[in-house]
Amino acid sequence: MSATPVLALRGVSKRFGAVQALTDVELEVHAGEVVALVGDNGAGKSTLVKTIAGVHPIDDGVIEWEGSAVQISKPHDAQNLGIATVYQDLALCDNIDVVGNLYLGRELRRRGVLDEVEMERRARELLTTLSIRIPSVRIPIASLSGGQRQTVAIARSMLGEPKLVILDEPTAALGVEQTAQVLDLVERLRDRGHAVILISHNMADVKAVADKVAVLRLGRNNGVFDVASTSQEEIISAITGATDNAVTRRAARNAEVQK
Amino acid sequence: MSTDKTSTPLGKADPAAADDAPAPAPAAVTAVDPRLLVREQGFAGYLSEFKRKMRAGDLGSIPVVIGLIVIWAIFQGLNSNFLSAGNLSNIAVSMVATGMMAVGIIFVLLLGEIDLSVGSVSGVSGAIVAVLSVTNGINEWLAIVAAIVGGALIGVIHGFFFARIGAPAFAVTLSGLLFWQGFMLQLLGSNGTINLDSDGLVGQLTTYYFSDVAAAYGLAVVAVAAFFLSSFTDSRRREAAGVPSRPLSEIVLRTALLAVLAFAAAATFNQYKGLPLAVLLFLLVLVASDFVLRRTAYGRKVFALGGSVEASRRAGINVTAVRISVFAIAGTFAAVGGLFWASKIAAANQSAAPATC
């Protein structure tokens, strides 16, 4: 693992109108590392990802890319740095085939005409190296299953050889087998030296593939855990704030009363 | 429902699942799903695929073909001249006006939108040509260019209201339909009709025939040869790149089918007055628009927008620009169709809005 993180957030804050969505958030991701970003609904996971992807520019704080501070103010900036984002709602066109979707917006051309042959060859190569199994690269996305679409969406993010891949709940709508395939793919991304940020609500997935777990609670950091040495209960209590809730407050009050 | 769904696959697929579980790691080398049905090569494959589709209710273009055959049979029964070379040739020429408009509408339909205004826009186009060339005596070429540019501008206006302002295409083009019809009546003035010189440039659009027998046959030869060469070189390139390609036998079969159709059509045209200029232009437009839609990055963008606007936007496609350009194309082809319509009836008049009335 390299010493300088690929991406580091230092004291990032983001405000929408009257809502302080993120407050002084810190996050580090190294090359060849999968960092799971977890938290309850509304904890600010998606907002944080969108600030990194350039959808919402940050208000305060610093984003460091490979050690130096950078400005990410629009999606293009993030793409140029080498950040690829796979959104929760898949950004694929149902009516276009797999090859067309992989190369959508960056079609290869030959004498001004689409170079279908080269695109198909490279698409097959990419899918093979990622061990993605799809009936044919020439069938429309509409006829693929949810899991296959998800793998295509992830493969699409790999085309630009990104350094950091952000996956927003990649297994949310998937079955058992498809979830395993996507998790396999996440591990392959890590093995190829990509840094991965994985957003998930599923603790089993997080425990399965992540190296570190960063917990967000109400827009603030609530601990970064090493997956190998942390129990699921500890992570969940960090997510739900189990150390500070009605039950613990009552217990604390009772303890005081008894004193 | 949910218990039903989970219980059936479990009961059935349990042994298979157990087999599958360790499989993915070694099987990961093959990128092909085992469930994919690979079509047999060659003619037998076509036939079995065709039978399977018919049984599955996937009729494709068969209903259209059957419908055409039924229509032809009925009209031939009513009038034995229907299938004569002269009538077929005339129908082919009459088709061009609506055909041109349809080409433009296809672009809009691919976006998942609708353009109701093409009929009115074609009427405006005919009126512009008539007013400029007949009433004001301006060069007919200039008048034609003005009409086509006018159609494109009208399309840009529709596209602007749809893509920039955000009004539904249905509403925009419906009001366009009414507005441009009124505009056409205004242009035509109190008489409501302006006759065109049938020997003029616009008139010739539907009356000119390449009477030389070689023209129709030559076009057929060129078309068949071009089709074969492009399929063949494409297949060779695919083979060299190691991606699936059509076998030579299939290319030959397709070329032969095209050849039969092309030469039958050429023979029919030659029995009458020869290859009509209108049909030649229409075929060129068809080939060109097919090329743009399927072989260029622009066409891919049009398809992408029809599939998912959000995905296209995230892929960096300029949604507004593509939408406006597509409506401009629809307007342009509506204007071109209007020229052929005006040529057919040798006049620009209030009825010159074929798609609306």
Side-chain angles (χ1 to χ4, degrees):
Chain A
M1 200 177 287
S2 56
T4 20
V6 174
L7 176 86
L9 305 183
R10 314 270 183 223
V12 166
S13 298
K14 176 71 195 174
R15 197 184 153 134
F16 294 109
V19 180
Q20 187 76 34
L22 298 173
T23 316
D24 285 336
V25 174
E26 308 273 332
L27 185 73
E28 282 194 1
V29 194
H30 292 84
E33 183 184 52
V34 178
V35 174
L37 195 58
V38 298
D40 260 337
N41 292 333
K45 304 183 300 292
S46 296
T47 310
L48 184 62
V49 161
K50 282 177 181 162
T51 60
I52 301 171
V55 179
H56 301 312
I58 56 171
D59 295 336
D60 264 318
V62 179
I63 297 180
E64 283 179 16
W65 181 256
E66 295 178 323
S68 50
V70 288
Q71 286 281 336
I72 301 180
S73 47
K74 52 184 190 291
H76 214 70
D77 295 343
Q79 279 165 22
N80 287 344
L81 285 174
I83 299 174
T85 315
V86 181
Y87 291 98
Q88 200 170 350
D89 43 344
L90 309 171
L92 298 173
C93 293
D94 276 353
N95 56 339
I96 298 180
D97 63 19
V98 175
V99 178
N101 263 293
L102 286 175
Y103 280 93
L104 190 59
R106 53 190 153 197
E107 292 88 358
L108 302 180
R109 289 175 218 188
R110 185 164 162 268
R111 290 184 222 128
V113 178
L114 292 183
D115 191 351
E116 294 284 355
V117 178
E118 183 63 15
M119 283 196 276
E120 184 167 339
R121 193 184 65 74
R122 289 204 205 166
R124 285 167 156 263
E125 218 172 75
L126 176 73
L127 295 179
T128 316
T129 47
L130 294 173
S131 304
I132 294 174
R133 294 203 294 163
I134 285 175
S136 157
V137 291
R138 281 298 175 194
I139 55 174
I141 289 290
S143 51
L144 294 182
S145 74
Q148 288 167 334
R149 289 180 205 200
Q150 189 66 262
T151 52
V152 171
I154 297 175
R156 177 176 148 70
S157 72
M158 303 302 304
L159 268 182
E161 284 297 320
K163 295 203 171 91
L164 171 68
V165 182
I166 303 174
L167 304 171
D168 190 354
E169 300 210 32
T171 59
L174 301 187
V176 180
E177 163 106 23
Q178 289 72 29
T179 301
Q181 282 174 2
V182 170
L183 294 182
D184 277 352
L185 191 50
V186 171
E187 282 179 343
R188 254 171 258 131
L189 296 188
R190 174 179 55 196
D191 296 343
R192 292 178 58 178
H194 299 284
V196 180
I197 296 180
L198 170 74
I199 297 184
S200 183
H201 278 295
N202 186 330
M203 277 305 129
D205 293 354
V206 171
K207 293 285 280 185
V209 292
D211 302 303
K212 282 197 303 189
V213 180
V215 180
L216 281 184
R217 176 160 167 76
L218 303 177
R220 290 169 187 275
N221 280 110
N222 204 16
V224 177
F225 303 92
D226 188 38
V227 171
S229 60
T230 314
S231 75
Q232 195 158 325
E233 286 70 26
E234 281 176 83
I235 299 173
I236 290 175
S237 63
I239 292 172
T240 57
T243 47
D244 176 31
N245 59 29
V247 178
T248 54
R249 279 198 294 275
R250 180 180 152 81
R253 262 202 318 275
N254 288 346
E256 264 174 41
V257 169
Q258 275 170 8
K259 268 183 207 165
Chain B
M1 165 101 185
S2 65
T3 48
D4 211 54
K5 269 206 160 176
T6 45
S7 66
T8 8
L10 257 183
K12 268 189 182 172
D14 220 355
D19 284 345
D20 254 14
V29 191
T30 62
V32 176
D33 191 297
R35 281 167 302 179
L36 180 69
L37 303 168
V38 180
R39 186 163 60 76
E40 286 170 64
Q41 299 265 308
F43 189 67
Y46 262 124
L47 210 63
S48 65
E49 177 82 357
F50 179 73
K51 279 186 195 158
R52 190 187 61 73
K53 277 190 172 169
M54 288 298 109
R55 270 200 301 273
D58 181 5
L59 299 178
S61 55
I62 293 289
V64 178
V65 174
I66 292 176
L68 264 183
I69 291 172
V70 169
I71 290 170
W72 285 15
I74 290 174
F75 280 103
Q76 177 69 10
L78 292 176
N79 185 332
S80 57
N81 275 331
F82 182 76
L83 287 181
S84 69
N87 189 43
L88 289 178
S89 188
N90 277 334
I91 288 177
V93 172
S94 307
M95 229 166 51
V96 172
T98 33
M100 288 285 185
M101 294 177 217
V103 168
I105 292 183
I106 284 171
F107 279 77
V108 180
L109 291 181
L110 283 174
L111 278 189
E113 299 297 339
I114 188 79
D115 189 343
L116 301 171
S117 69
V118 284
S120 300
V121 176
S122 72
V124 170
S125 151
I128 290 177
V129 166
V131 168
L132 287 185
S133 68
V134 177
T135 316
N136 293 322
I138 291 173
N139 180 298
E140 224 174 348
W141 278 106
L142 281 179
I144 288 177
V145 170
I148 293 175
V149 170
L153 283 180
I154 291 172
V156 168
I157 295 172
H158 292 162
F160 176 82
F161 276 101
F162 165 59
R164 257 285 150 76
I165 312 278
F170 183 86
V172 172
T173 55
L174 182 61
S175 40
L177 181 159
L178 298 170
F179 179 83
W180 300 116
Q181 203 158 29
F183 184 70
M184 177 190 78
L185 294 180
Q186 190 75 31
L187 278 183
L188 289 175
S190 51
N191 278 336
T193 184
I194 299 173
N195 288 327
L196 290 167
D197 176 9
S198 58
D199 291 329
L201 204 55
V202 174
Q204 298 257 314
L205 276 178
T206 52
T207 53
Y208 186 82
Y209 288 79
F210 295 96
S211 51
D212 192 343
V213 180
Y217 288 125
L219 181 68
V221 169
V222 169
V224 170
F227 177 79
F228 178 78
L229 275 179
S230 72
S231 324
F232 184 69
T233 49
D234 184 57
S235 169
R236 286 287 295 274
R237 260 200 87 212
R238 297 182 73 88
E239 220 170 288
V243 294
S245 55
R246 284 187 199 286
L248 186 62
S249 60
E250 202 177 311
I251 296 175
V252 170
L253 186 73
R254 287 164 151 259
T255 311
L257 267 174
L258 177 71
V260 168
L261 284 174
F263 281 98
T268 313
F269 285 135
N270 277 340
Q271 258 183 45
Y272 186 54
K273 292 184 191 168
L275 176 69
L277 173 68
V279 171
L280 174 69
L281 292 175
F282 185 53
L283 288 176
L284 288 179
V285 163
L286 272 188
V287 171
S289 55
D290 178 74
F291 179 84
V292 166
L293 280 174
R294 295 200 304 163
R295 298 264 174 257
T296 64
Y298 176 76
R300 183 57 55 79
K301 287 175 188 170
V302 173
F303 273 101
L305 272 182
S308 163
V309 176
E310 194 48 43
S312 313
R313 191 173 286 129
R314 286 181 191 172
I317 293 171
N318 187 339
V319 175
T320 312
V322 174
R323 279 178 166 169
I324 292 180
S325 69
V326 163
F327 275 88
I329 289 172
T332 308
F333 277 115
V336 173
L339 294 181
F340 281 94
W341 186 261
S343 169
K344 185 78 194 153
I345 60 176
N349 61 28
Q350 290 160 6
S351 77
T356 58
C357 308

